[in-house]
Amino acid sequence: MIELNASKRIKEILQMIPSCKIVADIGTDHGILPILLAESGRCEEIIATDISRESLDKLVKKLEENPEINNISTIVSDGLSKITEPYPDVVVISGMGSRLIIKILEEASDKAKQIKTFIFQPNTTVDELRVYLHDNGYKIINEALVYENNRFYNILATERNNELYNSKSHYKYGKLLLENRNENLRKHLLDEKNRFEKLFKELQTMKNKSQVRIDEIVEELEIIAEALNYYEII
Ligand SMILES: C[S@@+](CC[C@H](N)C(=O)[O-])C[C@H]1O[C@@H](n2cnc3c(N)ncnc32)[C@H](O)[C@@H]1O
């Protein structure tokens, strides 16, 4: 076993990956996930990619030092561009902003449609990603929320199917997390409630306050209240 400093976030991503024939980790950087995957024996073949040769070389070095790991191939690739048939049944895109994830999906939309399962871990604006997924024929089948290093990390699993949510709180905070009354999400919602209430009070004391900003904060607080209903906290 290789000595790895795997974060809680990466371990949770690993948990969400189903047994499969081929899995690809797009933007692998240190290559920790592919090594954990190889050690788990969960997938027969593992493809690890990164847009940067330098990033990918960190994994290449680990593989040279550990020749017993023989089912990981490494490819320098921008997004899915160098992923060829037979396509992976699972693709992981983690540790990037939602907009970059969306760009990667958009640039290979026909290919992406042929992949059964995606696991996403967006670092920013997860609501934008949820909206994009629903607009493009992806159903969110599982979600997790990890708290580590003073921040929350969303992890989403999708499959091809049609789905729409009927509430802003579902897009903003995750319908499945709310339905499961996820404990980390409850903490996050209470933090957000405090943050927006404080902002609202500060704005009230300002001379030249922006009505647009006030309206935005009121809307955020309404969405949070809707989400907190799942926890029976008002
Ligand atoms: C912050 S690291 C995340 C590493 C790992 N996936 C994780 O979750 O810890 C982001 C990695 O994505 C790579 N990257 C950025 N844009 C990419 C793209 N278009 N295609 C593939 N890799 C990309 C970067 O080079 C970097 O190594």
Side-chain angles (χ1 to χ4, degrees):
M1 251 184 146
I2 305 185
E3 193 64 39
L4 290 171
N5 208 357
S7 61
K8 224 161 122 180
R9 176 183 66 85
I10 290 284
K11 286 181 189 157
E12 190 66 40
I13 294 171
L14 177 72
Q15 286 313 311
M16 239 192 238
I17 298 173
S19 299
C20 67
K21 192 163 184 325
I22 310 174
V23 58
D25 183 27
I26 308 298
T28 196
D29 199 9
H30 291 265
I32 292 175
L33 183 67
I35 289 175
L36 292 179
L37 269 164
E39 287 175 346
S40 77
R42 195 169 301 175
C43 302
E44 286 172 33
E45 249 181 79
I46 302 154
I47 302 168
T49 80
D50 205 288
I51 196 169
S52 145
R53 172 85 262 168
E54 207 186 327
S55 290
L56 199 61
D57 277 347
K58 296 178 234 172
L59 171 60
V60 171
K61 188 166 175 282
K62 288 187 187 83
L63 295 176
E64 280 166 2
E65 289 165 358
N66 296 275
E68 72 282 5
I69 300 179
N70 56 16
N71 61 343
I72 301 180
S73 52
T74 59
I75 315 173
V76 174
S77 169
D78 181 354
L80 299 170
S81 61
K82 299 273 170 61
I83 299 291
T84 53
E85 291 188 76
Y87 294 135
D89 19 25
V90 182
V91 167
V92 180
I93 311 182
S94 77
M96 300 179 201
S98 283
R99 288 186 188 165
L100 179 52
I101 294 175
I102 291 169
K103 183 170 171 277
I104 289 174
L105 293 174
E106 274 294 284
E107 283 175 356
S109 61
D110 287 340
K111 207 181 276 185
K113 279 182 197 142
Q114 296 181 60
I115 287 153
K116 184 171 182 275
T117 306
F118 273 98
I119 313 285
F120 300 109
Q121 187 274 294
N123 280 344
T124 54
T125 56
V126 59
D127 47 338
E128 260 182 70
L129 181 61
R130 289 193 186 97
V131 170
Y132 174 85
L133 292 172
H134 279 181
D135 285 348
N136 289 277
Y138 295 92
K139 179 180 173 161
I140 300 165
I141 57 159
N142 196 3
E143 286 215 33
L145 187 66
V146 173
Y147 184 71
E148 185 169 46
N149 302 326
N150 293 319
R151 58 164 296 184
F152 292 95
Y153 296 95
N154 286 88
I155 305 166
L156 295 79
T158 66
E159 281 184 3
R160 295 295 301 168
N161 216 328
N162 292 320
E163 176 180 58
L164 278 180
Y165 292 160
N166 58 13
S167 121
K168 283 191 182 168
S169 68
H170 293 166
Y171 284 103
K172 185 92 192 185
Y173 295 108
K175 187 175 188 230
L176 297 179
L177 294 174
L178 289 168
E179 284 177 348
N180 293 329
R181 296 184 179 197
N182 181 280
E183 181 51 22
N184 279 340
L185 180 55
R186 190 184 71 84
K187 290 184 189 132
H188 179 51
L189 286 167
L190 292 174
D191 286 353
E192 287 293 272
K193 183 172 185 274
N194 283 338
R195 186 167 75 84
F196 282 112
E197 281 175 348
K198 210 168 145 218
L199 270 173
F200 184 79
K201 276 190 198 137
E202 276 167 17
L203 266 175
Q204 296 302 320
T205 62
M206 285 165 91
K207 255 196 188 152
N208 298 320
K209 42 184 172 276
S210 147
Q211 191 54 46
V212 174
R213 186 67 189 127
I214 292 176
D215 292 347
E216 279 169 6
I217 293 172
V218 168
E219 189 182 2
E220 292 293 347
L221 283 166
E222 281 169 5
I223 297 171
I224 291 167
E226 191 180 292
L228 282 171
N229 270 328
Y230 281 85
Y231 299 86
E232 287 156 13
I233 302 170
I234 334 155

Coordinates of all heavy atoms in Angstrom, one line a residue, residues 7 9-10 13 25-30 49-52 55-56 58 77-80 93-96 100 103-104 107 121 123, ligand 1:
S7 N -7.4 13.0 1.6 CA -8.3 13.9 2.4 C -9.6 13.2 2.5 O -10.0 12.2 1.8 CB -8.5 15.2 1.6 OG -9.1 14.9 0.3
R9 N -12.4 14.5 1.7 CA -13.1 14.8 0.5 C -12.8 13.7 -0.5 O -13.7 13.1 -1.2 CB -12.6 16.1 0.0 CG -13.1 16.6 -1.3 CD -12.5 17.9 -1.7 NE -11.1 17.8 -2.0 CZ -10.5 17.5 -3.1 NH1 -11.2 17.2 -4.2 NH2 -9.2 17.4 -3.2
I10 N -11.5 13.3 -0.7 CA -11.2 12.3 -1.7 C -11.7 10.9 -1.3 O -12.2 10.2 -2.2 CB -9.6 12.2 -1.9 CG1 -9.1 13.5 -2.7 CG2 -9.2 11.0 -2.7 CD1 -9.4 13.6 -4.2
I13 N -15.3 10.8 -2.3 CA -15.5 10.6 -3.7 C -15.3 9.2 -4.0 O -16.1 8.6 -4.8 CB -14.5 11.5 -4.5 CG1 -14.8 13.0 -4.3 CG2 -14.5 11.2 -6.0 CD1 -13.7 14.0 -4.9
D25 N -10.4 9.6 -14.2 CA -10.3 10.7 -13.3 C -9.7 11.9 -14.1 O -8.5 11.9 -14.5 CB -9.4 10.4 -12.1 CG -9.3 11.5 -11.0 OD1 -10.3 12.3 -11.0 OD2 -8.3 11.6 -10.3
I26 N -10.6 12.9 -14.3 CA -10.2 14.0 -15.2 C -9.6 15.1 -14.3 O -10.3 15.6 -13.4 CB -11.4 14.6 -16.0 CG1 -12.1 13.4 -16.7 CG2 -11.0 15.7 -16.9 CD1 -11.3 12.7 -17.8
G27 N -8.4 15.5 -14.6 CA -7.7 16.6 -13.7 C -7.3 16.0 -12.4 O -7.6 16.4 -11.3
T28 N -6.5 14.9 -12.5 CA -6.1 14.1 -11.3 C -5.1 14.7 -10.4 O -5.0 14.5 -9.2 CB -5.7 12.7 -11.8 OG1 -5.7 11.8 -10.7 CG2 -4.2 12.7 -12.4
D29 N -4.2 15.6 -10.9 CA -3.2 16.3 -10.2 C -2.3 15.3 -9.5 O -1.5 14.6 -10.2 CB -3.8 17.3 -9.2 CG -2.8 18.4 -8.8 OD1 -1.7 18.4 -9.4 OD2 -3.1 19.1 -7.9
H30 N -2.3 15.1 -8.2 CA -1.4 14.2 -7.5 C -1.7 12.8 -7.7 O -0.9 11.9 -7.4 CB -1.5 14.5 -5.9 CG -1.0 15.8 -5.5 ND1 0.3 15.9 -5.1 CD2 -1.5 17.0 -5.5 CE1 0.6 17.2 -4.8 NE2 -0.5 17.9 -5.1
T49 N -6.1 11.5 -16.0 CA -5.7 12.6 -17.0 C -5.5 13.9 -16.3 O -6.0 14.1 -15.2 CB -6.8 12.8 -18.0 OG1 -7.8 13.7 -17.4 CG2 -7.5 11.6 -18.5
D50 N -4.7 14.7 -16.9 CA -4.6 16.1 -16.5 C -4.2 17.0 -17.7 O -3.5 16.5 -18.6 CB -3.5 16.3 -15.3 CG -3.8 17.5 -14.5 OD1 -3.6 18.6 -15.0 OD2 -4.3 17.3 -13.3
I51 N -4.6 18.2 -17.7 CA -4.2 19.1 -18.8 C -2.7 19.5 -18.7 O -2.1 19.8 -19.7 CB -5.1 20.4 -18.7 CG1 -5.1 21.1 -20.0 CG2 -4.8 21.3 -17.5 CD1 -6.1 22.2 -20.2
S52 N -2.2 19.3 -17.5 CA -0.8 19.7 -17.2 C 0.1 18.5 -17.1 O -0.1 17.6 -16.3 CB -0.7 20.6 -16.0 OG 0.4 20.3 -15.2
S55 N 1.6 18.3 -13.6 CA 0.7 17.7 -12.6 C 0.6 16.2 -12.7 O 0.8 15.5 -11.7 CB -0.7 18.3 -12.8 OG -0.8 19.6 -12.4
L56 N 0.5 15.7 -13.9 CA 0.3 14.3 -14.2 C 1.6 13.5 -13.8 O 1.5 12.4 -13.3 CB 0.0 14.0 -15.6 CG -0.6 12.7 -16.0 CD1 -2.0 12.5 -15.2 CD2 -0.9 12.6 -17.4
K58 N 3.4 13.8 -11.3 CA 3.4 13.4 -9.9 C 2.9 12.0 -9.7 O 3.4 11.2 -8.9 CB 2.5 14.4 -9.0 CG 3.1 15.8 -9.0 CD 2.2 16.7 -8.2 CE 1.7 17.9 -9.0 NZ 0.7 18.7 -8.4
S77 N -4.5 15.5 -21.1 CA -5.7 15.7 -21.9 C -6.4 16.9 -21.4 O -6.6 17.1 -20.2 CB -6.6 14.5 -21.9 OG -7.9 14.7 -22.4
D78 N -6.9 17.7 -22.3 CA -7.8 18.8 -21.9 C -9.2 18.3 -21.8 O -9.8 17.8 -22.8 CB -7.7 19.9 -23.0 CG -8.6 21.1 -22.6 OD1 -9.4 21.1 -21.6 OD2 -8.6 22.1 -23.4
G79 N -9.7 18.2 -20.6 CA -11.0 17.6 -20.4 C -11.1 16.2 -20.9 O -10.2 15.4 -20.7
L80 N -12.2 15.9 -21.7 CA -12.4 14.6 -22.2 C -11.8 14.4 -23.6 O -12.1 13.3 -24.2 CB -13.9 14.3 -22.3 CG -14.7 14.4 -20.9 CD1 -16.2 14.3 -21.2 CD2 -14.3 13.2 -20.0
I93 N -14.9 14.2 -12.1 CA -14.3 15.5 -12.4 C -14.4 16.2 -11.0 O -15.4 16.6 -10.6 CB -15.0 16.3 -13.5 CG1 -15.2 15.5 -14.7 CG2 -14.2 17.6 -13.8 CD1 -15.9 16.2 -15.9
S94 N -13.2 16.4 -10.3 CA -13.3 16.9 -9.0 C -12.2 18.0 -8.8 O -11.2 18.0 -9.4 CB -13.1 15.8 -8.0 OG -11.8 15.4 -7.9
G95 N -12.6 18.9 -7.8 CA -11.6 19.9 -7.4 C -11.5 21.0 -8.4 O -10.5 21.7 -8.4
M96 N -12.5 21.3 -9.2 CA -12.5 22.4 -10.1 C -13.8 23.2 -9.9 O -14.8 22.7 -9.3 CB -12.6 21.9 -11.6 CG -11.4 21.0 -11.9 SD -11.6 20.5 -13.6 CE -10.5 19.1 -13.6
L100 N -15.7 25.5 -15.0 CA -14.7 24.7 -15.7 C -15.3 23.3 -16.0 O -15.2 22.7 -17.1 CB -13.4 24.6 -14.9 CG -12.3 23.8 -15.5 CD1 -12.0 24.2 -17.0 CD2 -11.0 23.9 -14.7
K103 N -17.7 23.6 -18.8 CA -16.9 23.8 -20.1 C -16.4 22.4 -20.6 O -16.5 22.1 -21.8 CB -15.7 24.7 -19.8 CG -14.9 25.1 -21.0 CD -13.9 26.2 -20.6 CE -12.9 26.5 -21.7 NZ -11.8 25.6 -21.7
I104 N -15.9 21.6 -19.6 CA -15.4 20.3 -20.0 C -16.5 19.4 -20.6 O -16.4 18.8 -21.6 CB -14.7 19.6 -18.8 CG1 -13.4 20.3 -18.5 CG2 -14.5 18.1 -19.0 CD1 -12.7 19.8 -17.2
E107 N -17.6 20.9 -24.1 CA -16.7 20.7 -25.2 C -16.7 19.3 -25.7 O -16.1 19.0 -26.8 CB -15.3 21.1 -24.8 CG -15.1 22.6 -24.8 CD -13.8 23.1 -24.2 OE1 -13.0 22.3 -23.7 OE2 -13.6 24.3 -24.2
Q121 N -17.2 17.0 -8.2 CA -17.0 17.7 -6.9 C -16.6 19.1 -7.3 O -15.4 19.4 -7.4 CB -15.9 16.9 -6.1 CG -15.7 17.5 -4.7 CD -14.7 18.7 -4.7 OE1 -13.6 18.5 -5.0 NE2 -15.2 19.9 -4.4
N123 N -15.9 23.0 -6.8 CA -15.4 23.9 -5.7 C -16.2 25.1 -5.5 O -16.1 25.8 -4.5 CB -14.0 24.2 -5.9 CG -13.0 23.1 -5.5 OD1 -13.5 22.2 -4.8 ND2 -11.8 23.2 -5.9
Ligands
LIG1 C1 -7.3 21.5 -7.8 S1 -6.7 20.2 -8.8 C2 -7.8 18.9 -8.3 C3 -7.1 17.6 -8.3 C4 -8.0 16.4 -7.9 N1 -9.0 16.1 -9.0 C5 -8.7 16.6 -6.6 O1 -10.0 16.6 -6.6 O2 -8.1 16.8 -5.6 C6 -7.3 20.6 -10.4 C7 -6.5 19.9 -11.5 O3 -7.3 20.0 -12.7 C8 -6.4 20.2 -13.8 N2 -7.1 20.8 -14.9 C9 -7.5 22.1 -15.0 N3 -8.2 22.2 -16.1 C10 -8.3 21.0 -16.7 C11 -8.8 20.5 -18.0 N4 -9.5 21.3 -18.8 N5 -8.7 19.2 -18.2 C12 -8.0 18.4 -17.4 N6 -7.4 18.8 -16.3 C13 -7.6 20.1 -15.9 C14 -5.3 21.1 -13.2 O4 -4.1 21.0 -13.9 C15 -5.1 20.5 -11.8 O5 -4.2 19.5 -11.7

